[in-house]
């Protein structure tokens, strides 16, 4: 059987005119060889869809790099926005105090020192109270109760340390 020109048309994936198409259809009805060729051609034409095109890996890597840069830029902008808004908010919150201090510095410095002294003396009084309470406790509480209390505290500390350690060991997520 003569397969020409149909074989060439099929192999070259030729764009057929309606007349040529009719001729080919007629030939395919009687020729299993060219029918098989048609099916192979269809399979070959549909294959590139699934198969990655040449340079796919390179383009993928390039796109990935571009995405990383964009991500980094987005994060940088986010940080700038956060910093600026944070500074603005802080300034807005502190502005009245800054103006007050600027308008009456001596009074504010005096008040600040007074507050500092107040905290200091309060702390002193507090530690004294604690010391007195401890002295009283050592007089009243028998030694074995102290042993129990101290071991309980040590146990709590151990649990706390382990939980912190586990928390810090938790997976950090994927950060690029
Ligand atoms: Zn044929």
């Amino acid at each position: 059987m003569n397969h020409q020109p149909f074989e060439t048309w099929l192999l070259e994936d030729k764009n057929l005119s309606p007349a040529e198409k009719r001729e080919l259809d007629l030939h395919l009805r009687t020729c299993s060889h060219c029918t098989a060729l048609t099916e192979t051609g269809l399979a070959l034409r549909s294959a590139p869809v699934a198969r990655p095109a040449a340079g796919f890996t390179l383009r993928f890597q390039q796109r990935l790099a571009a995405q990383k840069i964009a991500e980094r830029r987005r994060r940088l902008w986010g940080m700038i926005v956060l910093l600026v808004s944070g500074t603005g908010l802080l300034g807005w919150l502190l502005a009245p105090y800054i103006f007050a201090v600027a308008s009456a510095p001596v009074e504010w410095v005096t008040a600040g020192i007074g507050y500092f002294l107040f905290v200091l003396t309060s702390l002193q009084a507090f530690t004294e109270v604690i010391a007195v309470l401890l002295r009283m406790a050592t007089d009243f509480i028998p030694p074995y109760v102290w042993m129990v209390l101290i071991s309980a505290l040590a146990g709590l500390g151990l649990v706390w340390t382990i939980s912190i350690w586990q928390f810090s060991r938790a997976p950090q997520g994927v950060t690029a």
Side-chain angles (χ1 to χ4, degrees), residues 18-77:
E20 286 170 330
K21 210 167 199 169
R22 229 173 301 128
E23 275 183 67
L24 178 66
D25 278 340
L26 273 173
H27 177 71
L28 286 178
R29 242 169 261 177
T30 53
C31 177
S32 59
H33 170 82
C34 288
T35 307
L37 208 61
T38 314
E39 277 163 10
T40 313
L42 282 175
L44 280 176
R45 245 170 290 151
S46 62
V49 178
R51 196 177 53 209
F56 171 78
T57 312
L58 185 69
R59 273 183 283 121
F60 180 75
Q61 281 170 345
Q62 282 171 345
R63 206 179 310 154
L64 202 69
Q67 270 176 0
K68 254 181 199 168
I69 290 169
E71 168 89 2
R72 212 171 296 158
R73 199 170 299 157
R74 215 160 32 230
R75 217 178 297 163
L76 185 72
W77 273 111

Side-chain angles (χ1 to χ4, degrees), residues 93-145:
L93 283 172
L94 288 180
Y97 299 101
I98 291 166
F99 283 128
V101 170
S103 60
V106 179
E107 283 85 344
W108 274 86
V109 168
T110 321
I113 290 169
Y115 183 71
F116 178 70
L117 287 175
F118 166 74
V119 170
L120 209 67
T121 46
S122 304
L123 271 175
Q124 260 173 356
F126 186 67
T127 45
E128 265 168 42
V129 166
I130 292 287
V132 167
L133 280 176
L134 271 175
R135 227 173 300 142
M136 278 166 62
T138 45
D139 289 342
F140 281 110
I141 298 172
Y144 69 89
V145 175

